[in-house]
């Protein structure tokens, strides 16, 4: 029984890591067989079609071998059958395979194993992480116990010079949201109210204003997603979401709209938008405008969770949105088509005679 689960987890992780590599580097080597000779150890790049074919095959195996999520029976940090379906939906979205993206997203939603949290802050409250698994389908599970797998994300997003009991024990102000992004939210949006702040209370009970939130710019807004008042130094027990139900709803919304237009896609978009704002998205959008609304919703929903750049690169919008996102730190941003993918690390190129550098980075 456990052997079957382990196989499912292995297929899931291989699919996940191949997808991560593909969205960062484009064409990558796909090697799924053990080497029996030195020559076998070297493989060249696979095409996008070959990469996604392998990812799909691995996720088919993951679905076949993994068990459905149950609150009592699923070990935290391990993927469920629904996690494999959710990853499948997201991978297909990146592959612009709208039918498969919609099909897999609907399988997750129809299974009704997960539900949206009512209060968005509860998703990130360290003391409520067990309850939050009703929405967090798969996350990096951090623990500050020894032995454990801690994370320092809290220290990066917290204000500079620590904050005493208000945010975490040791924080540095290295990462933050910009004021222009904060101002883009509707006034009644929970995500603005509960997950960002223009001031904070330090360890001495003094209110620190916005212009002191980071040492880098006065136009910064504090991100409260990763607060952990019981952190140990810079280490936190706060989990980092990787796949959650809100993502599945927005995948379904985008895929349905791209296939059939927005009429039946509103039901998915409104699940996320209404949870945050209390109101539905205004009806009557054209198909392109609905796609823009979904991408904007993704920006509001997943800020500081590592999705925005990839949403912009997979849609080609990084070439227009990034240059326009200027501020006092980056008054000019020059973005080129080659920035869609990273250059392959030179050590990897040197180690593999069949691996060529990405053409735009030669």
């Amino acid at each position: 029984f456990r052997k079957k689960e382990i196989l499912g987890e292995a297929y899931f992780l291989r699919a996940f890591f191949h997808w991560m590599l593909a969205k960062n580097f484009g064409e990558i080597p796909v090697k799924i067989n053990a080497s029996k000779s030195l020559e076998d150890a070297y493989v060249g790049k696979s095409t996008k079609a070959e990469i996604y074919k392998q990812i799909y095959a691995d996720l088919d195996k993951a679905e076949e071998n993994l068990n459905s999520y149950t609150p009592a029976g699923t070990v935290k940090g391990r993927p469920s059958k629904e996690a494999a379906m959710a990853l499948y939906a997201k991978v297909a979205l990146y592959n612009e395979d709208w039918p498969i993206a919609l099909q897999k997203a609907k399988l997750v939603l129809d299974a009704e194993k997960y539900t949206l949290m009512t209060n968005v802050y509860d998703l990130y409250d360290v003391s409520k992480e067990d309850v939050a698994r009703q929405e967090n389908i798969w996350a990096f599970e951090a623990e500050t116990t020894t032995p454990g797998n801690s994370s320092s994300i809290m220290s990066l997003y917290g204000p500079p010079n620590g904050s005493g009991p208000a945010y975490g024990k040791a924080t540095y102000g290295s990462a933050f949201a910009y004021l222009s992004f904060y101002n883009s939210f509707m006034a009644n949006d929970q995500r603005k109210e509960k997950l960002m702040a223009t001031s904070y209370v330090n360890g001495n009970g003094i209110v620190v204003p916005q212009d002191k939130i980071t040492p880098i710019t006065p136009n910064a807004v504090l991100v409260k997603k990763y607060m952990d008042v019981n952190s140990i130094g810079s280490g936190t027990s706060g989990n980092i979401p990787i796949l959650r139900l809100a993502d599945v709803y927005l995948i379904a919304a985008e895929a349905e709209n791209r296939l059939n237009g927005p009429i039946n896609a509103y039901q998915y978009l409104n699940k996320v938008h209404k949870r945050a704002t209390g109101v539905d998205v205004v009806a009557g959008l054209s198909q392109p405008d609905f796609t823009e609304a979904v991408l904007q919703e993704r920006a509001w929903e997943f800020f500081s969770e590592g999705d925005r750049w990839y949403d912009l690169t997979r849609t080609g919008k990084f070439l227009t949105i990034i240059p326009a996102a200027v501020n006092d730190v980056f008054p000019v941003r020059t973005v080129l088509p080659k920035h869609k993918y990273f250059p392959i690390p030179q050590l990897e190129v040197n180690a593999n005679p069949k691996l060529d550098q990405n053409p735009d980075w030669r």
Side-chain angles (χ1 to χ4, degrees), residues 188-251:
N188 62 337
D189 197 317
Q190 277 196 59
R191 297 166 298 198
K192 176 180 182 179
E193 172 193 352
K194 297 179 178 180
L195 300 178
M196 289 187 284
T198 54
S199 65
Y200 70 96
V201 179
N202 69 14
N204 298 318
I206 298 172
V207 177
V208 179
Q210 177 187 325
D211 63 352
K212 302 297 183 184
I213 278 181
T214 79
I216 300 170
T217 173
N219 295 313
V221 177
L222 183 67
V223 173
K224 296 164 64 179
K225 281 186 172 181
Y226 301 111
M227 291 172 62
D228 182 1
V229 297
N230 296 314
S231 64
I232 298 177
S234 62
T236 178
S237 292
N239 296 339
I240 303 173
I242 301 174
L243 290 168
R244 54 188 176 91
L245 190 63
D247 201 352
V248 179
Y249 274 116
L250 294 180
I251 290 168

Side-chain angles (χ1 to χ4, degrees), residues 147-169:
N149 295 303
S150 186
S151 161
S152 296
I153 195 168
M154 175 275 306
S155 66
L156 300 176
Y157 278 100
N161 305 315
S163 58
Y167 195 104
K169 295 295 190 295

Side-chain angles (χ1 to χ4, degrees), residues 279-332:
V279 297
D280 288 337
V281 174
V282 176
L285 295 175
S286 66
Q287 190 175 37
D289 286 346
F290 188 92
T291 297
E292 292 297 321
V294 173
L295 292 173
Q296 181 60 68
E297 198 70 41
R298 293 185 65 86
W300 289 329
E301 183 69 22
F302 303 118
F303 68 88
S304 302
E305 295 184 34
D307 252 21
R308 179 61 170 168
W309 171 250
Y310 301 111
D311 277 338
L312 296 180
T313 53
R314 72 179 174 86
T315 58
K317 295 183 180 300
F318 72 104
L319 290 169
T320 54
I321 289 179
I322 298 300
V326 295
N327 47 60
D328 57 325
V329 179
F330 298 104
V332 177

